[in-house]
């Protein structure tokens, strides 16, 4: 794969390095959360649920699993790639193909306010032990019908 082709794949595939993935899954996560005193689900449980959805998303990306990705992306999903391209939900799903590299999300923090969660972290893409890219990401999730759905993703090359 040429360097330009890798850049295109990285730009299209990396949703913000969504957290935990196929392949290496070394993760560190912390969180700050605002929830009401009457919340029936603990802060930690909500953080874990968001991070689990993030991990599921990355695994689906590397596997090229469009059905799973469709179940994760909200109808209004938007993605700004590290190259500044804005993709809508349909474009994002259409771009998904299985890839040979792995994504390892680290330095994750989760902030939750009401039914909105924001994950910040770093995603490292590797193939055969070589680092292809490192990107700082922000992913936004909204809780819809009890499920955390991806609303927005953005990454910046580092």
């Amino acid at each position: 794969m040429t360097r330009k082709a890798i850049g295109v794949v990285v730009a299209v595939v990396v949703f913000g390095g969504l957290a935990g993935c196929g392949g290496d899954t070394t993760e560190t996560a912390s969180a700050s959360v605002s929830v009401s005193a009457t919340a029936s689900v603990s802060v930690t449980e909500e953080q874990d649920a968001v991070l689990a959805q993030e991990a599921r998303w990355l695994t689906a990306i590397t596997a090229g699993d469009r059905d799973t990705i469709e179940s994760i992306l909200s109808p209004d999903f938007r993605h700004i790639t590290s190259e500044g391209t804005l993709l809508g939900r349909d474009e994002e799903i259409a771009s998904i193909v299985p890839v040979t590299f792995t994504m390892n999300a680290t330095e994750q923090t989760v902030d939750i306010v009401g039914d909105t969660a924001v994950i910040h972290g770093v995603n490292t893409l590797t193939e055969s032990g070589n680092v292809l890219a490192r990107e700082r990401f922000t992913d936004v999730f909204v809780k819809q019908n009890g499920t955390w759905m991806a609303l927005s993703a953005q990454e910046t090359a580092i």
Side-chain angles (χ1 to χ4, degrees):
M1 185 176 287
T2 68
R3 182 176 177 95
K4 181 173 177 85
I6 290 171
V8 170
V9 169
V10 168
V12 171
V13 172
V14 178
F15 290 60
L18 309 193
C21 56
D24 299 332
T25 57
T26 304
E27 286 187 25
T28 56
S30 64
S32 61
V33 180
S34 299
V35 293
S36 70
T38 60
S40 61
V41 177
S42 77
V43 169
T44 302
E45 289 173 325
E46 287 296 345
Q47 294 163 344
D48 290 348
V50 173
L51 288 172
Q53 189 72 316
E54 179 89 358
R56 185 172 166 249
W57 189 9
L58 280 189
T59 299
I61 293 168
T62 58
D65 182 351
R66 289 182 181 178
D67 290 339
T68 297
I69 292 169
E70 285 181 10
S71 75
I72 295 170
L73 303 184
S74 75
D76 297 321
F77 176 81
R78 299 288 184 269
H79 173 204
I80 299 173
T81 69
S82 62
E83 295 173 337
T85 302
L86 177 62
L87 302 174
R89 183 181 192 276
D90 292 343
E91 294 167 301
E92 188 74 34
I93 292 167
S95 72
I96 298 300
V97 296
V99 295
T100 57
F101 57 81
T102 61
M103 293 184 280
N104 182 31
T106 58
E107 301 179 34
Q108 296 173 279
T109 62
V110 178
D111 298 300
I112 298 175
V113 178
D115 287 339
T116 304
V118 179
I119 301 175
H120 293 98
V122 172
N123 192 18
T124 303
L125 284 71
T126 60
E127 184 173 35
S128 302
N130 298 315
V131 174
L132 303 176
R134 283 181 36 92
E135 297 178 327
R136 185 157 304 276
F137 69 87
T138 302
D139 294 328
V140 178
F141 287 81
V142 291
K143 196 168 194 181
Q144 298 174 333
N145 300 316
T147 301
W148 288 105
M149 304 289 292
L151 178 65
S152 178
Q154 182 169 1
E155 54 281 325
T156 301
I158 53 175

